[in-house]
Amino acid sequence: MEMTKSYDIYVKEPRNTNISGQRWRIIAFILGLLSIGLAIALIVVVIKNDKNNKVEKNNNSEKNDKLEIGTCATTSEKYGKINLELSDTPSVFVHLTRAEIEGLAAFLYNQQELNLVDLKDVDTDKNFIFLSDLYLPEKQDVLNYLDKNGTKPPREAHVIIFRGNEQPPYVQEIIVGPLPTPTYYKPVPFRPQKIPFIYRPPFTGNEYQNVLNFLKENIDPFLGSMFIDIFGARLTNCNDSCLNFGYVSPILSGENKRKMWATLNQMSEYSLHRPLDFSVLVDIDIKVFTVEKIWFNSSLFNNVTEVLTFYNQNKETIPKTAFPVYSSEDFTTLNQRGIPPMDPPLRNPKQFSPDGKRYNVQGRHVEYMFWKFDFRMSTINGPQLYDIRFKNERIAYELSIQEIAVFYSGFKPNDILAQILDSIILIGLQSKVLFPGVDCPEDATLIGSSFHVGGVSAYELTTSFCLFELNTGVPYRRHHSYSFDNGRFYEGMESVLLVLRTIPTISNYDYIIDFIFYPNGALEVKVTSTGYVRALFYTKDDEKYTFKLHDNFGAPIHQHLFHVKADLDIKGTSNRFATLDIDTEQIVNQFSHVPNEKLIQLKFNTSVKDTEKDAAYRFNFDTPKYLVMYNELIKDRFGNVKSYRILNKGMTYQLLPVGSGNEPIASWARYQMAVTKYNESERTSSSVYGTLDIKEPVVDFQKYLDNNDSILDEDLVAWITMGQYHIPHTEDLPVTTSPGMDIFGYYVDR
């Protein structure tokens, strides 16, 4: 059966304007009769075909297990091929396989000088594998393999080892290869040989549980009775009325020590919405913990003795917070309540694919219409796409999430210091479960990833991605011409997109991350925030930072930040970056009889950027512009260059002064976009240590620009910052809804 090659609808109407009204009425009547006849014939054909299909299904069940009713045989043979199994010789882009993880673990455990302990013995003062992930070969080697039939680069792993048993302890990063049966390991280039141990991501091994146990053992015996009086519960021996430490803000103090603030919560359904006005600052020195400060009743104390003295002197006036009694109507629960929007309830509309899936997946390689790309999940940074092609022409070598960050504010220390880069808790590893019918359409393809975090075996998630087509319900394009002179017609096309989605849950927030592929070669990265807001115990001192949303409950103002790497290769790797600067000009109105009358109109000028500092872009409404990447050497017959416009619709401005407080941990947020010359030493804009290494950053994005390389006719990388400010409101309870929380950037073909 011949397949339709266009989805356009085109209806042309007659242009003859001399037909009288009577003749029009006669023609309309005849057409009406014909329409009724055709409709009856169509119904007969449909019913007949339906009967035939049922007979065919009954007579050939094996065939119809593979084909849907009404699907042409050629369709299912060409499209809908889904094979998620990974080859024994995986592509250069795919995540580490189970066999590779087991091979590298076995190799490393046999290296006596590493002195690695088994998973069951992992602790802060031991040497153990924190994680391993794919180490991508150098770009030039990959392009030589893909484009010039060169040698396939060896598969290697990037391994992070915590060496807590050394004197002094440190973090080590190495490359292990070739996989799956390694024979060598070597240092990671452009990284310190010994990364300070206090920079390590917090709560690894048994550290977090050890800190919690320490707090219970050193706080509750002294303050347990006070907790019962003030909060209706305690930390230990508490039965069904218990407290625990919830929100944590890790900090690296000016003393170069590792510390954290932990806030007390009442244990109830979603206890993070039950914070109390009590926090503890803990100094963490390997396995030695010290309580340094205590925050209670909006005051700061040096130790539990001071807190107890204050309580005994003021117990009659200190406000009490009753322990919550469970109710399905409670504001923190997700039970349905209130007036139903539809009574009786009716089922939601559904999307379906009448001819089955129209994309193919082989391993982690996707083909859809004119699109081809590979993808994987980075353990630290999250989703990454590679070798993105349209009409078999590479548009981007890499398109990836680099970092997700959130900067909170507040009156209490745990809110003031909650300025965190989410890679510290491994973004990719938090992309755990997707539920068809809500997170993704019911017919989406669910795709998993494997990770190696500690131990000797792989940690596999079966639904870290979903892939699906989406009919947006908005015309991709359309025009209806009513003019007799220009022709009466209608032309329109459905807007159908391909979406690759993942949703990491970072503590209280969920981030819906979409990579969207349009039929015209445009790409979009979209991030939508949902999940729970971060709560605080509301007092009058918090009114500058939050509305009062419920009893004792507020949620502080904060800024979401997302950093995206777009390694665009437009007609090759010799590219330029330019802005099309939109301005006005004043000209004489030569068409007017009024002497010296002036007209003001828009114009644009092309401004080519020569260096990285020239290309560091900060948005200014007074100087609007297009941001374009292009190849100067390849032009069409009209002299135009092939280019991609980068349209950032999620621009945000970082208000914090440069160099102040924790601002340096996200130096990339100083720019809505920056463009750099590709450099193997500049692979990522952030690191797993980013929240804690303010004084001596392991990865310092600002230095990528400070060397001020020439970017004229070079292999260029765009680094794009998206984000938004969020002042939580009552509609954010119990869970933030997605409207108004989406931000996105386009990469638009021109």
Side-chain angles (χ1 to χ4, degrees):
M1 181 179 293
E2 184 178 353
M3 299 306 300
T4 303
K5 299 185 184 303
S6 173
Y7 299 94
D8 287 358
I9 299 172
Y10 181 89
V11 180
K12 188 171 184 179
E13 299 181 15
R15 295 183 58 192
N16 190 345
T17 62
N18 297 320
I19 300 177
S20 67
Q22 182 178 1
R23 292 178 64 189
W24 271 113
R25 287 192 292 272
I26 294 172
I27 291 172
F29 177 74
I30 294 172
L31 289 174
L33 292 176
L34 286 174
S35 298
I36 295 171
L38 287 171
I40 295 171
L42 180 61
I43 292 170
V44 171
V45 170
V46 170
I47 293 173
K48 183 177 180 181
N49 285 341
D50 186 56
K51 289 181 179 178
N52 290 340
N53 282 327
K54 290 179 180 177
V55 171
E56 183 180 356
K57 184 176 181 180
N58 292 332
N59 291 341
N60 193 352
S61 60
E62 181 179 352
K63 180 178 179 180
N64 280 281
D65 283 341
K66 301 178 181 178
L67 304 180
E68 295 184 12
I69 294 175
T71 300
C72 302
T74 53
T75 302
S76 71
E77 291 173 0
K78 189 174 182 180
Y79 306 107
K81 298 178 182 178
I82 312 296
N83 180 7
L84 303 180
E85 295 297 321
L86 298 180
S87 167
D88 292 336
T89 56
S91 83
V92 292
F93 302 118
V94 79
H95 60 254
L96 299 182
T97 67
R98 173 179 288 273
E100 290 173 333
I101 290 172
E102 292 175 351
L104 76 88
F107 169 75
L108 292 176
Y109 274 91
N110 282 328
Q111 309 307 305
Q112 294 184 357
E113 68 277 11
L114 296 179
N115 193 25
L116 300 176
V117 299
D118 293 332
L119 180 61
K120 65 181 186 327
D121 298 322
V122 164
D123 210 337
T124 317
D125 59 351
K126 301 291 195 304
N127 291 2
F128 64 93
I129 299 173
F130 172 52
L131 65 81
S132 65
D133 204 349
L134 177 70
Y135 186 80
L136 198 66
E138 292 191 3
K139 179 178 179 180
Q140 193 56 49
D141 294 339
V142 175
L143 294 183
N144 184 57
Y145 165 65
L146 294 176
D147 301 341
K148 300 178 182 178
N149 201 29
T151 302
K152 181 180 180 181
R155 296 263 298 170
E156 295 180 318
H158 175 202
V159 181
I160 300 177
I161 299 175
F162 288 176
R163 306 201 67 163
N165 193 37
E166 309 300 325
Q167 296 300 326
Y170 60 93
V171 178
Q172 180 181 20
E173 296 195 13
I174 58 175
I175 298 171
V176 180
L179 302 176
T181 53
T183 58
Y184 62 83
Y185 73 88
K186 56 187 178 182
V188 174
F190 314 108
R191 288 289 174 93
Q193 297 294 303
K194 295 182 178 181
I195 296 171
F197 203 54
I198 56 174
Y199 291 176
R200 70 192 184 279
F203 320 133
T204 49
N206 297 323
E207 182 177 28
Y208 184 47
Q209 192 58 50
N210 290 341
V211 172
L212 293 184
N213 291 339
F214 166 80
L215 290 175
K216 288 182 179 181
E217 294 168 1
N218 290 270
I219 299 292
D220 197 75
F222 301 96
L223 301 180
S225 298
M226 183 193 82
F227 288 158
I228 292 175
D229 179 36
I230 303 296
F231 304 134
R234 64 185 303 166
L235 285 162
T236 61
N237 303 315
C238 49
N239 298 320
D240 294 330
S241 300
C242 294
L243 305 178
N244 76 329
F245 283 94
Y247 285 119
V248 170
S249 294
I251 62 172
L252 193 64
S253 68
E255 309 155 76
N256 216 29
K257 292 185 177 181
R258 182 181 175 87
K259 301 180 181 182
M260 75 173 193
W261 277 98
T263 295
L264 207 60
N265 294 73
Q266 292 169 322
M267 288 287 288
S268 63
E269 182 161 341
Y270 202 67
S271 63
L272 290 181
H273 269 183
R274 298 288 185 181
L276 300 167
D277 197 8
F278 186 96
S279 301
V280 180
L281 176 63
V282 184
D283 184 307
I284 303 169
D285 184 8
I286 311 297
K287 299 182 75 173
V288 178
F289 311 129
T290 306
V291 173
E292 286 216 342
K293 298 287 182 181
I294 296 176
W295 177 272
F296 171 58
N297 196 47
S298 297
S299 300
L300 194 62
F301 302 90
N302 292 312
N303 49 55
V304 292
T305 302
E306 288 187 7
V307 172
L308 195 57
T309 300
F310 174 82
Y311 164 72
N312 288 328
Q313 293 173 350
N314 301 276
K315 64 173 63 178
E316 302 303 325
T317 59
I318 296 174
K320 294 179 172 54
T321 305
F323 194 85
V325 177
Y326 175 79
S327 167
S328 60
E329 298 294 314
D330 192 87
F331 81 102
T332 68
T333 71
L334 295 180
N335 298 296
Q336 292 186 355
R337 52 190 179 269
I339 301 172
M342 188 177 292
D343 189 19
L346 302 177
R347 289 176 292 179
N348 293 334
K350 298 292 183 183
Q351 177 176 303
F352 74 101
S353 302
D355 294 322
K357 291 179 172 61
R358 303 193 302 172
Y359 52 81
N360 298 328
V361 184
Q362 179 63 49
R364 299 299 180 268
H365 175 78
V366 176
E367 296 188 2
Y368 170 72
M369 295 192 182
F370 293 124
W371 289 103
K372 296 179 181 178
F373 63 90
D374 290 80
F375 68 97
R376 76 179 185 96
M377 186 71 77
S378 162
T379 306
I380 296 172
N381 306 107
Q384 302 185 336
L385 278 63
Y386 295 98
D387 196 22
I388 302 172
R389 303 184 185 216
F390 184 74
K391 294 185 177 180
N392 212 32
E393 182 178 300
R394 183 177 296 112
I395 293 170
Y397 178 73
E398 178 182 350
L399 182 60
S400 59
I401 298 295
Q402 292 292 297
E403 187 62 89
I404 299 174
V406 62
F407 278 53
Y408 286 95
S409 301
F411 170 70
K412 302 175 181 66
N414 206 356
D415 302 315
I416 294 172
L417 297 166
Q419 299 174 352
I420 300 170
L421 305 188
D422 287 341
S423 60
I424 198 171
I425 60 171
L426 310 180
I427 296 169
L429 194 63
Q430 311 311 318
S431 303
K432 293 182 178 178
V433 178
L434 298 173
F435 290 91
V438 179
D439 295 333
C440 314
E442 291 179 350
D443 67 343
T445 300
L446 300 176
I447 305 169
S449 301
S450 63
F451 305 90
H452 182 212
V453 180
V456 297
S457 61
Y459 176 58
E460 296 186 350
L461 299 174
T462 57
T463 58
S464 56
F465 287 102
C466 66
L467 182 71
F468 56 92
E469 278 192 278
L470 177 66
N471 190 326
T472 67
V474 178
Y476 173 67
R477 64 171 184 259
R478 64 95 66 190
H479 181 65
H480 195 165
S481 175
Y482 295 93
S483 169
F484 282 100
D485 294 333
N486 297 326
R488 302 184 68 194
F489 63 89
Y490 170 83
E491 191 276 341
M493 182 176 177
E494 294 176 277
S495 181
V496 180
L497 321 170
L498 184 72
V499 180
L500 178 69
R501 172 174 294 169
T502 186
I503 309 180
T505 299
I506 312 294
S507 184
N508 55 304
Y509 263 116
D510 298 61
Y511 298 106
I512 305 168
I513 303 174
D514 290 339
F515 296 88
I516 303 173
F517 300 83
Y518 287 82
N520 66 338
L523 275 166
E524 179 183 343
V525 179
K526 178 179 178 181
V527 185
T528 306
S529 303
T530 179
Y532 284 89
V533 292
R534 179 186 174 103
L536 56 75
F537 186 90
Y538 185 86
T539 66
K540 61 180 179 62
D541 295 302
D542 294 299
E543 61 185 12
K544 290 189 296 183
Y545 315 104
T546 178
F547 296 111
K548 186 174 183 180
L549 303 179
H550 207 272
D551 298 335
N552 305 318
F553 183 93
I557 182 175
H558 53 280
Q559 183 179 23
H560 292 285
L561 294 166
F562 309 93
H563 207 220
V564 177
K565 178 182 181 181
D567 181 359
L568 302 180
D569 290 348
I570 311 303
K571 295 289 186 180
T573 56
S574 178
N575 288 171
R576 292 186 177 187
F577 172 65
T579 59
L580 306 184
D581 300 330
I582 302 171
D583 204 347
T584 60
E585 65 174 0
Q586 181 175 280
I587 61 174
V588 175
N589 185 358
Q590 58 182 317
F591 312 106
S592 172
H593 294 296
V594 178
N596 299 319
E597 185 179 14
K598 300 292 193 287
L599 287 175
I600 297 177
Q601 63 181 358
L602 296 179
K603 65 172 184 176
F604 72 88
N605 298 306
T606 300
S607 175
V608 180
K609 307 305 178 183
D610 295 325
T611 66
E612 291 174 330
K613 286 187 177 180
D614 290 338
Y617 173 68
R618 293 184 174 95
F619 181 76
N620 184 347
F621 272 108
D622 293 331
T623 58
K625 58 195 64 184
Y626 273 29
L627 313 177
V628 295
M629 199 92 75
Y630 65 96
N631 189 322
E632 173 67 18
L633 301 178
I634 302 177
K635 301 180 180 180
D636 64 15
R637 61 193 179 95
F638 304 109
N640 298 315
V641 294
K642 172 75 172 182
S643 66
Y644 260 72
R645 175 191 178 194
I646 300 174
L647 175 60
N648 187 348
K649 288 192 172 183
M651 286 188 293
T652 188
Y653 183 68
Q654 171 63 286
L655 290 169
L656 302 180
V658 171
S660 68
N662 287 345
E663 186 274 342
I665 68 177
S667 60
W668 42 266
R670 298 167 185 170
Y671 315 96
Q672 283 74 55
M673 191 178 87
V675 177
T676 62
K677 175 183 176 181
Y678 184 91
N679 192 320
E680 289 295 339
S681 67
E682 299 174 355
R683 293 189 170 209
T684 62
S685 62
S686 187
S687 79
V688 73
Y689 319 102
T691 299
L692 297 172
D693 65 353
I694 302 173
K695 299 298 181 184
E696 299 177 57
V698 175
V699 173
D700 187 348
F701 179 78
Q702 183 60 45
K703 289 184 178 179
Y704 295 4
L705 308 180
D706 289 345
N707 59 21
N708 207 26
D709 287 334
S710 169
I711 58 171
L712 202 62
D713 300 320
E714 298 285 358
D715 188 358
L716 302 183
V717 179
W719 307 87
I720 302 156
T721 301
M722 303 188 297
Q724 63 184 181
Y725 289 97
H726 184 194
I727 302 176
H729 43 85
T730 53
E731 289 78 10
D732 285 315
L733 301 179
V735 175
T736 296
T737 52
S738 58
M741 297 299 293
D742 54 332
I743 56 177
F744 44 90
Y746 280 108
Y747 311 92
V748 185
D749 186 14
R750 180 173 74 89

